[in-house]
Amino acid sequence: MPRWIFPLIIVLVLAVILEIYTFQALKTISKSKFLRYGFLLISVAAYVNFLLIMLNYSRSDGQTPKFQMAVGVLLTVLVPKLVILMILFGEDVYRLVLKAIATISNTDTQPLVGRRKFVSQVALGLAAIPFVSFIYGIVQGKYNYKVIKYQLSFKDLPAAFDGYTITQISDIHSGSFTNKKKIQYGVDLINEQKSDLMLFTGDIVNNKADEMDNWIDVFSKLEAKEGKYSILGNHDYGDYMDWEKPEDKIKNFQDVKDIHQKIGFDLLLDEHRYIEKDGQRIALLGVENWGKGFNQAGDLQKASAKIKKEDFKILMSHDPSHWQEKVKNDDFNYHLTLSGHTHGLQVGIEIPGFIKWSPSKYVYKQWAGLYEEFGRFINVNRGFGYHAFPGRVGIWPEITVIELKKG
């Protein structure tokens, strides 16, 4: 039996419960059968589309844009109804409590018809927020590129690098892309930053190297004054799909590594490069993917073997759990680490200076933005592309620009 059958049954049972509550909410506030059954028909269409996609899905295909869109439409239908369920179920519990009290005390309960209508209106109103947000996220939010700038000061930064700028991008996930014009706009926005150095922190594809075939011409136009460097992410190894033969996976992995050269990036595989300026230098290190609990291919000691402890060091490591578990406490002193991976789960709420929240925070201690401990920094880029869910809601695609200052 396919592994997805049991989760699918759970989803279907939940869907039935959600539809019952949503139908009742609509019935309470409106007598229009067209409204009630129209909503139901849209939901059934989303369920049937998702079911058909799953029945024809093969891990050897990877997460295609068609698969991702089916997931996105399903979530757009389900999440608002979860809001309705929580509110109306709470109302049902309240009514049951009142009825139990009345039965025990042998008193009459007051009619709650008017209250039920009001609660249904509130539930539907609140449910409209995620519904509209998810539609926006799928249509436009995933292209709502944001340039986020930081200025970081270090006492031991070589003076020649005072004012040196770095553009970081991460998580391209080219296998998800469908709109070349929008992606070209994002690439142009990266180039507008005119940084000294460009660093890409992994996940250039979802699974297969050929996902990048139609995008080589776009990403090869990325520019930086003094070089472009990159590392691998967890998706670049091809671990998330079934391969007919082991040698197919090996060839795909080599093809993925070759992409970096095709678009002008120097791929660092547990290696370092010295960046020199006016007779001074800083060390740039790049490790293979290292994630807590999975795919710990990265070897920090190997990458650091030929550099000195007193060197100013910038480390590229795709998964921020590497910094949390290994890097930040290492007395070799890695001044600045650049990561990606989390995408901020592509869904959350961010109002600069007031709130930054996403379910991703319950998985990763460092999940989006800049963090500092012991005078050492990590920036977790929210990602340029998108994966699984074909959109972004509140957590927008990011282009990071970091200016180094001697403090």
Side-chain angles (χ1 to χ4, degrees), residues 98-128:
L98 287 184
K99 187 174 182 179
I101 293 173
T103 301
I104 294 171
S105 61
N106 195 27
T107 59
D108 294 330
T109 57
Q110 297 296 319
L112 297 176
V113 176
R115 177 187 174 88
R116 185 65 170 189
K117 183 176 181 179
F118 172 75
V119 172
S120 296
Q121 290 172 332
V122 170
L124 289 167
L126 292 176

Side-chain angles (χ1 to χ4, degrees), residues 34-95:
F34 176 81
L35 177 65
R36 298 198 298 266
Y37 289 102
F39 263 77
L40 183 60
L41 183 61
I42 292 172
S43 298
V44 170
Y47 300 141
V48 170
N49 178 58
F50 180 75
L51 181 60
L52 290 175
I53 292 292
M54 290 301 296
L55 289 173
N56 293 284
Y57 174 71
S58 170
R59 273 176 58 92
S60 62
D61 295 330
Q63 287 198 15
T64 64
K66 188 176 181 180
F67 173 86
Q68 292 183 4
M69 185 56 68
V71 172
V73 171
L74 185 66
L75 289 174
T76 302
V77 167
L78 286 180
V79 172
K81 291 175 181 177
L82 282 171
V83 176
I84 295 172
L85 173 63
M86 288 188 292
I87 295 174
L88 293 189
F89 182 75
E91 170 69 5
D92 284 342
V93 171
Y94 176 75
R95 289 159 66 96

Side-chain angles (χ1 to χ4, degrees), residues 118-386:
F118 172 75
V119 172
S120 296
Q121 290 172 332
V122 170
L124 289 167
L126 292 176
I129 297 174
F131 181 72
V132 173
S133 298
F134 271 59
I135 291 176
Y136 173 80
I138 292 172
V139 175
Q140 183 61 35
K142 60 190 177 188
Y143 306 122
N144 188 20
Y145 302 105
K146 299 296 183 184
V147 178
I148 298 178
K149 297 186 178 184
Y150 300 108
Q151 188 180 84
L152 302 181
S153 296
F154 300 91
K155 291 186 295 184
D156 50 353
L157 179 73
F161 289 88
D162 185 34
Y164 197 80
T165 54
I166 300 168
T167 288
Q168 180 199 2
I169 56 174
S170 193
D171 298 88
I172 288 174
H173 286 286
S174 56
S176 302
F177 293 157
T178 57
N179 190 320
K180 204 159 193 174
K181 184 177 179 181
K182 296 288 189 180
I183 303 306
Q184 182 64 62
Y185 164 74
V187 168
D188 291 342
L189 188 58
I190 294 171
N191 285 337
E192 285 178 16
Q193 308 314 309
K194 300 186 182 301
S195 291
D196 296 303
L197 200 65
M198 185 172 298
L199 304 179
F200 170 63
T201 47
D203 277 358
I204 203 165
V205 296
N206 292 342
N207 294 290
K208 294 181 178 180
D210 60 12
E211 296 168 6
M212 194 68 178
D213 288 353
N214 293 329
W215 306 98
I216 295 289
D217 61 327
V218 176
F219 287 94
S220 62
K221 295 175 183 176
L222 287 170
E223 301 172 351
K225 299 174 186 176
E226 299 182 19
K228 303 184 294 184
Y229 299 86
S230 58
I231 57 171
L232 297 172
N234 55 303
H235 281 269
D236 297 324
Y237 293 81
D239 291 339
Y240 300 109
M241 59 182 297
D242 294 328
W243 299 91
E244 290 186 11
K245 296 176 291 185
E247 51 266 36
D248 291 341
K249 181 180 179 182
I250 294 172
K251 181 181 184 304
N252 182 75
F253 185 43
Q254 183 58 52
D255 290 344
V256 168
K257 290 188 285 187
D258 290 343
I259 291 170
H260 295 255
Q261 184 178 5
K262 291 179 181 179
I263 62 174
F265 279 78
D266 183 359
L267 177 63
L268 303 185
L269 302 169
D270 296 333
E271 301 172 271
H272 83 280
R273 301 285 188 270
Y274 276 115
I275 310 298
E276 297 190 6
K277 186 176 178 65
D278 299 336
Q280 297 180 316
R281 65 185 188 177
I282 60 176
L284 174 67
L285 302 91
V287 295
E288 292 198 50
N289 187 74
W290 193 102
K292 183 181 179 182
F294 72 99
N295 194 344
Q296 297 181 355
D299 189 333
L300 185 59
Q301 280 65 46
K302 180 181 177 182
S304 307
K306 296 181 180 181
I307 65 174
K308 300 175 181 178
K309 183 175 181 179
E310 59 267 24
D311 287 332
F312 185 89
K313 294 174 283 294
I314 298 174
L315 171 66
M316 293 188 291
S317 181
H318 178 69
D319 191 321
S321 66
H322 190 203
W323 189 79
Q324 176 65 23
E325 298 296 320
K326 298 288 185 179
V327 177
K328 73 176 184 180
N329 293 311
D330 195 311
D331 63 4
F332 205 60
N333 187 22
Y334 299 90
H335 298 75
L336 172 62
T337 300
L338 302 177
S339 298
H341 181 62
T342 71
H343 300 209
L345 208 64
Q346 296 172 209
V347 176
I349 302 172
E350 282 198 88
I351 302 175
F354 292 93
I355 184 172
K356 184 176 78 171
W357 178 90
S358 163
S360 184
K361 70 175 293 183
Y362 304 116
V363 181
Y364 293 93
K365 188 171 182 179
Q366 296 82 28
W367 61 273
L370 189 69
Y371 302 84
E372 181 268 334
E373 289 188 41
F374 318 121
R376 301 166 186 178
F377 293 87
I378 181 173
N379 182 65
V380 184
N381 184 283
R382 295 160 180 81
F384 180 86
Y386 50 92

